[in-house]
Amino acid sequence: MQSRPKLLLWNTRSGVAYVVDELSPSSTGSRRELWRGATNLQLVGTSNGLLCLCDNSCRGRAGGDVTLVNPATRETLAIPPLPYAGELVGHHLEATRWDKAYGFGCHPTSGQYKVVHVPCSFDWVCKFDTVYVLTLTPGKEAFWRKLPAVPGTSCNLDAGIVSVNGMTHWVTTDGGGAARVVSFDLDSEHLTFSPTPRKVGLSDDYNLTEVRGRLGVVGRKPSGTRDAWVRENGRWIHRFSVKYSWQDIPRPNFAFGDYFLKREGTKLYGHRTFDWRWHDVLEVRYDDQGMLVAKMTGDSTCYFYDDYHTFAYVSTLEPLGLYSTKSS
């Protein structure tokens, strides 16, 4: 039986992953170091205890270098370079966030891990016109496959990519119309489209999230406050709201166990939802500080989301040696 997920905090500046072992009223805000990489590494996503990392260092090619890591066994698996999809232009490779175009997940039925690279454009650098997929199967060599191009699927990289329950999701604004969610089934490899929450269309500052195995969206109001919606049975429902501009909702995961998470400065707080009904909206106001979850280092004036991303983590002893790639 799989253990309950823990909270993983990824420091985007230092390339270090921390784990919060305890989410309870007795929490002291402590966290332990799980994995230490380099400052040019970014965490793409987690799945069943595996971390998918992207090295954004400039190596003269598009896509960066992707590696899978199992922190529990200290094993790593190098993923082959992404097949090149166009000419590099300009001189901005050193500032390119290649990690933003990847997704990583496992389909709950097939049990297959897949790394996904979405259609997107890196301004002044290069453009990818279709989905690339790499499937990990025990005993078989993994390689990138280029899927047929589908119009209207180019990713808004600023909105993020999340993999939830066997689907990888991103947002597109192709065609100049309303933003739409593109969902890629990790089993069938089919694409589907759905609308974003109506009120998100009023803002250009929003991010996809995962909320207890469901797809969510965190959006910023003109006042600076943030709201979160969750997709339930095909409908977007408003579920969480922080009422002051100095408060934030961490991303891409803000729900762990019985708690919704809120950031204030370099501190992360939890607000319990065990007696909260699914049709209710949890509103956090000025005098509702919540339970201290983690104390982070850094400048208290900076945005938590810029320095730390939040993920789910379950330790596993699954050996990465079961898989092979052309780079391993």
Side-chain angles (χ1 to χ4, degrees), residues 61-328:
R61 66 168 183 264
D65 293 320
V66 177
T67 303
L68 300 185
V69 172
N70 185 336
T73 64
R74 315 307 288 181
E75 290 180 288
T76 63
L77 178 68
I79 299 300
L82 187 72
Y84 184 51
E87 292 186 3
L88 295 176
V89 297
H91 304 281
H92 302 281
L93 279 173
E94 70 280 356
T96 300
R97 286 287 305 273
W98 302 116
D99 62 285
K100 288 188 172 185
Y102 288 100
F104 175 62
C106 179
H107 194 275
T109 302
S110 69
Q112 286 186 321
Y113 293 98
K114 294 191 178 184
V115 183
V116 178
H117 188 276
V118 303
C120 61
S121 175
F122 290 93
D123 291 342
W124 306 108
V125 178
C126 65
K127 181 178 181 180
F128 296 89
D129 61 358
T130 191
V131 174
Y132 289 87
V133 181
L134 183 139
T135 303
L136 293 172
T137 304
K140 294 184 179 180
E141 189 175 72
F143 58 92
W144 287 103
R145 292 178 292 114
K146 182 179 180 179
L147 302 188
V150 177
T153 57
S154 184
C155 176
N156 173 4
L157 296 175
D158 290 334
I161 299 172
V162 295
S163 294
V164 182
N165 197 27
M167 304 283 286
T168 295
H169 307 274
W170 64 93
V171 174
T172 185
T173 53
D174 270 6
R180 297 187 299 168
V181 175
V182 183
S183 300
F184 179 75
D185 191 310
L186 293 177
D187 187 26
S188 68
E189 298 188 349
H190 291 160
L191 290 167
T192 55
F193 298 85
S194 59
T196 58
R198 181 178 57 85
K199 289 187 178 181
V200 166
L202 303 177
S203 170
D204 60 359
D205 185 354
Y206 57 89
N207 301 91
L208 294 182
T209 63
E210 179 184 357
V211 190
R212 294 172 178 161
R214 300 178 176 90
L215 180 64
V217 174
V218 172
R220 181 180 180 273
K221 292 180 178 179
S223 62
T225 62
R226 292 192 182 272
D227 292 307
W229 292 265
V230 179
R231 194 160 72 184
E232 174 76 5
N233 296 323
R235 298 175 55 218
W236 287 105
I237 310 297
H238 185 201
R239 295 304 186 198
F240 188 34
S241 180
V242 293
K243 293 299 184 181
Y244 293 88
S245 59
W246 63 83
Q247 300 170 332
D248 199 5
I249 300 175
R251 302 177 292 285
N253 295 59
F254 68 82
F256 286 92
D258 296 328
Y259 297 89
F260 279 175
L261 302 178
K262 172 201 69 179
R263 188 277 307 172
E264 289 188 10
T266 56
K267 294 181 180 179
L268 196 63
Y269 297 93
H271 294 267
R272 196 157 192 174
T273 63
F274 70 98
D275 57 357
W276 164 82
R277 294 172 295 178
W278 189 240
H279 62 268
D280 290 338
V281 178
L282 179 61
E283 295 187 347
V284 177
R285 300 185 180 277
Y286 174 75
D287 57 350
D288 189 6
Q289 189 175 61
M291 176 196 72
L292 179 63
V293 173
K295 298 177 183 178
M296 308 308 300
T297 58
D299 183 356
S300 62
T301 63
C302 66
Y303 289 104
F304 187 95
Y305 180 66
D306 291 339
D307 283 351
Y308 292 97
H309 293 184
T310 48
F311 296 86
Y313 174 73
V314 179
S315 181
T316 179
L317 296 178
E318 179 176 357
L320 279 174
L322 294 173
Y323 308 104
S324 65
T325 71
K326 293 181 180 179
S327 295
S328 60

